[in-house]
Amino acid sequence: MKRQQLIAQLARPVTYDVAIVGGGATGLGVALDAAARGFSVVLVESHDFAKGTSSRATKLVHGGVRYLAQGNIGLVREALRERTTLLRNAPHLAGPLPFVMPSYRLWETPFYGAGLKMYDALAGKAGLGATEFLSREQTLACLPTARPDGLKGGVKYWDGQFDDARLALALARTAASRGALLVNYCAATGLRHENGKVAGLTCEDLETGKLHDIKAGCVINATGVWVDELRQKDGAAIGRQVKPMVAPSQGVHVVVDQKFLPGGHALMVPKTADGRVLFGVPWLGKLILGTTDTPRHDLPAEPRPFKEELEFILGESARYLAKAPRRSDIRSMWVGLRPLVKPQGDDGDDTKGLSREHTVLVSRSGLVTVTGGKWTTYRAMAEDVLDKCADKRLLKRTRGGVTANLMLVGSDPVPAGRPPLSEPQGLHSYGSEGAAVTALRGARRELGAGLTEAMVRFAARSEYARTVEDVLARRWRLLFLDAHLAGSLAGEVGAILQQENGTDPQVSAFEELARLYLALPG
Ligand SMILES: Cc1cc2nc3c(=O)[nH]c(=O)nc-3n(C[C@H](O)[C@H](O)[C@H](O)COP(=O)(O)OP(=O)(O)OC[C@H]3O[C@@H](n4cnc5c(N)ncnc54)[C@H](O)[C@@H]3O)c2cc1C
């Protein structure tokens, strides 16, 4: 997978069936589905795959207990079905996780328990385990550090968790194995129109500055919160005014050591002071606390938390944990932007009330825009997009469901004793590719936190990694888990990448980024 070869392919004068802009969950899901149906596919991503929202999730593969409370049964049922599909097709990257809702008021256990029994019923055969009512002692056995005073009991239920960025890479690599061409660090700079219809796009290889022209029968705009940029360009080309469709809302996650919540169960608080859900999720050896829902009007690639958001997460955690994490306990902090779709005429300032479902829009010129939704349902979204493309005669109609049983690269039958996703990353995270990793030079040379020289070489050769950030943020999740430690490994990782790729691995930019992930507001 040499970059020069990918770029040489990009320069070929072919007309693709589908060109996709954006290499997050949405774009990669469409690329895989289209390639698996036999279409010729190209996808360009302006940064790294999953650099946007798709590496910044709460890491839950879930039906959405919250949407159940809102009465959105259809959304929950679809997500529960997709939860099972995802866990089956990528067992090395996704697995079941028990959650506990502690109750401090007598009515909470029966009230939330009844709702969760309905969640079980909706899941049917796709259920991961039965909801249980817990006594006070049982709750403390699951959540040993839950605040004990006033604790009445709890409810335990099951959902899934995953490694979002590695799943994105698995989607990219599986799509490539089906013939799709995917290029990161290649930004779509404009659209090509012929007779008022979109007929392709122009893109720039950001490593060389070279421009490329791509011809395609169907162009899909899957750029997450950034979809309006391409929509505006499309509108300008055909002389139509385009109203923005996305109301971005940011969600902050704070990462601390697992000692604040040992025991392998996630904490779920159904109603915080601002009416949101708060999670404490054990993930890759650390504890993720979050998240928030704050409207934002700019769209930075690296959004940072507001002071109130940090205070909110620490304050709410202190209400439920016997020993509350303080600012000095924070190992990393990351922020993701939700691409919420606003109804026409809405200013989008109350993002909590906006739909969490995805939207597919086809413009007059035939530009297909898809945004919203969630990671869990990426596969169903991809099917919906391809159906809409067929409705509009942009693509031939083909049978759906081709990815329902398609195992992703690296998937294998889960061996007994494989650590769950709540345990630190390791060779097991590579699934069936573990032997391919250890066959590379430096398999026994650990750089730190379990990362070996061979894993960095594998990232460069087989996982599209170009920079230190690609390795330490998304192939190995250290930036998200322990930003200080990640920063300290930048030099060594950079030296290996330089040998592999022969390009600038951007060491100092990553060191700066690692400092940013530790910079607390206020
Ligand atoms: C805080 C938070 C927590 C969440 N937690 C969960 C969860 O636990 N479970 C769940 O199921 N879902 C969760 N979600 C939702 C889920 O993460 C998103 O729905 C999903 O990641 C969106 O993916 P996307 O591909 O649409 O967007 P993105 O991942 O943002 O991808 C868009 C891509 O387009 C690229 N791009 C932009 N412009 C261009 C251009 N001109 N040329 C080329 N590329 C371009 C960007 O670089 C980016 O990589 C969460 C979301 C947030 C914000």
Side-chain angles (χ1 to χ4, degrees), residues 15 27 56 80 121 128 150-151 181 244 346 369 377 458 466 471 478:
T15 302
R56 299 155 193 265
L80 286 169
L128 300 173
L151 182 68
L181 171 64
D346 191 312
T369 296
T377 50
F458 187 77
R466 305 297 298 167
V471 175
L478 204 53

Side-chain angles (χ1 to χ4, degrees), residues 20-28 44-62 67 86 162 164 186-190 203 221-227 229-230 233 249-253 276 279 291-292 334-339 370-377 381:
I20 300 158
V21 185
T26 308
L28 293 168
V44 292
E45 160 56 51
S46 55
H47 293 78
D48 183 25
F49 301 119
K51 160 77 181 182
T53 307
S54 296
S55 56
R56 299 155 193 265
T58 313
K59 325 301 180 199
L60 306 181
V61 189
H62 62 152
Y67 313 129
L86 204 162
F162 73 130
D164 50 4
C186 187
T189 48
C203 58
N221 173 13
T223 52
V225 281
W226 296 277
V227 284
E229 277 177 34
L230 217 52
K233 285 185 179 162
S249 141
Q250 80 171 21
V252 173
H253 293 95
R276 280 192 54 79
F279 289 103
T291 179
T292 54
W334 79 80
V335 184
L337 298 178
R338 277 180 207 87
V370 50
T371 195
K374 55 183 172 161
W375 236 123
T376 306
T377 50
M381 284 167 64

Side-chain angles (χ1 to χ4, degrees), residues 109-452:
T109 301
F111 178 77
Y112 291 118
L116 286 162
K117 288 278 182 197
M118 197 169 142
Y119 196 58
D120 287 359
L122 280 175
K125 277 203 231 126
L128 300 173
T131 293
E132 295 167 57
F133 293 90
L134 305 181
S135 66
R136 183 180 190 279
E137 289 66 36
Q138 288 168 321
T139 305
L140 284 171
C142 297
L143 304 176
T145 51
R147 183 169 58 79
D149 46 310
L151 182 68
K152 305 277 188 267
V155 186
K156 174 172 168 175
Y157 72 98
W158 289 82
D159 246 324
Q161 75 173 151
F162 73 130
D163 182 337
D164 50 4
R166 286 200 68 84
L167 185 70
L169 289 161
L171 289 176
R173 296 177 61 213
T174 311
S177 76
R178 297 281 166 143
L181 171 64
L182 302 102
V183 188
N184 54 359
Y185 294 102
C186 187
T189 48
L191 295 166
R192 298 178 75 247
H193 288 81
E194 282 172 18
N195 304 322
K197 295 285 171 200
V198 173
L201 56 91
T202 49
C203 58
E204 180 182 350
D205 172 0
L206 296 177
E207 289 196 2
T208 60
K210 197 163 182 312
L211 295 178
H212 297 271
D213 239 340
I214 298 176
K215 288 188 186 157
C218 174
V219 177
I220 296 172
N221 173 13
T223 52
V225 281
W226 296 277
V227 284
D228 287 323
E229 277 177 34
L230 217 52
R231 291 180 64 240
Q232 305 282 1
K233 285 185 179 162
D234 178 45
I238 58 168
R240 287 188 77 85
Q241 268 222 320
V242 169
K243 274 195 185 162
M245 67 188 277
V246 166
S249 141
Q250 80 171 21
V252 173
H253 293 95
V254 167
V255 178
V256 297
D257 288 344
Q258 254 182 29
K259 69 176 186 206
F260 288 100
L261 188 66
H265 289 68
L267 163 75
M268 200 275 199
V269 176
K271 205 163 190 176
T272 56
D274 78 342
R276 280 192 54 79
V277 173
L278 184 88
F279 289 103
V281 181
W283 187 68
L284 302 182
K286 297 283 180 198
L287 179 70
I288 302 175
L289 297 167
T291 179
T292 54
D293 200 341
T294 314
R296 212 177 159 133
H297 298 287
D298 54 347
L299 297 170
E302 282 296 347
R304 297 311 301 151
F306 300 116
K307 182 168 168 251
E308 301 72 36
E309 293 179 292
L310 174 61
E311 282 168 356
F312 171 77
I313 292 177
L314 292 180
E316 284 296 320
S317 304
R319 291 177 57 196
Y320 294 93
L321 298 176
K323 183 174 180 308
R326 290 159 307 173
R327 291 166 75 96
S328 56
D329 295 310
I330 295 174
R331 301 280 181 202
S332 182
M333 213 170 19
W334 79 80
V335 184
L337 298 178
R338 277 180 207 87
L340 302 179
V341 179
K342 55 184 175 188
Q344 292 295 316
D346 191 312
D347 64 7
D349 265 354
D350 176 19
T351 51
K352 285 183 216 74
L354 293 183
S355 168
R356 310 280 144 160
E357 285 173 79
H358 72 272
T359 299
V360 185
L361 260 186
V362 183
S363 77
R364 289 239 169 173
S365 70
L367 175 69
V368 182
T369 296
V370 50
T371 195
K374 55 183 172 161
W375 236 123
T376 306
T377 50
Y378 79 89
R379 206 195 61 81
M381 284 167 64
E383 294 206 332
D384 190 25
V385 169
L386 295 181
D387 277 351
K388 294 263 164 42
C389 293
D391 292 346
K392 298 284 176 184
R393 298 177 188 279
L394 297 167
L395 271 182
K396 218 169 54 196
R397 188 170 301 281
T398 47
R399 202 171 48 83
V402 289
T403 50
N405 293 303
L406 199 160
M407 302 295 276
L408 302 187
V409 164
S411 61
D412 56 354
V414 181
R418 174 186 283 164
L421 264 288
S422 52
E423 297 292 318
Q425 225 179 325
L427 196 59
H428 60 272
S429 315
Y430 294 82
S432 64
E433 296 191 301
V437 176
T438 50
L440 299 179
R441 198 167 97 210
R444 286 167 185 236
R445 187 178 153 234
E446 188 182 323
L447 307 176
L451 177 69
T452 64

Side-chain angles (χ1 to χ4, degrees), residues 76-138:
V76 176
R77 204 192 290 273
E78 176 184 71
L80 286 169
R81 197 179 54 235
E82 289 302 319
R83 182 183 73 174
T84 312
T85 307
L86 204 162
L87 263 55
R88 183 181 62 234
N89 292 344
H92 58 311
L93 297 173
L97 178 71
F99 288 71
V100 173
M101 268 185 207
S103 314
Y104 290 89
R105 280 170 290 196
L106 273 178
W107 60 267
E108 285 177 336
T109 301
F111 178 77
Y112 291 118
L116 286 162
K117 288 278 182 197
M118 197 169 142
Y119 196 58
D120 287 359
L122 280 175
K125 277 203 231 126
L128 300 173
T131 293
E132 295 167 57
F133 293 90
L134 305 181
S135 66
R136 183 180 190 279
E137 289 66 36
Q138 288 168 321

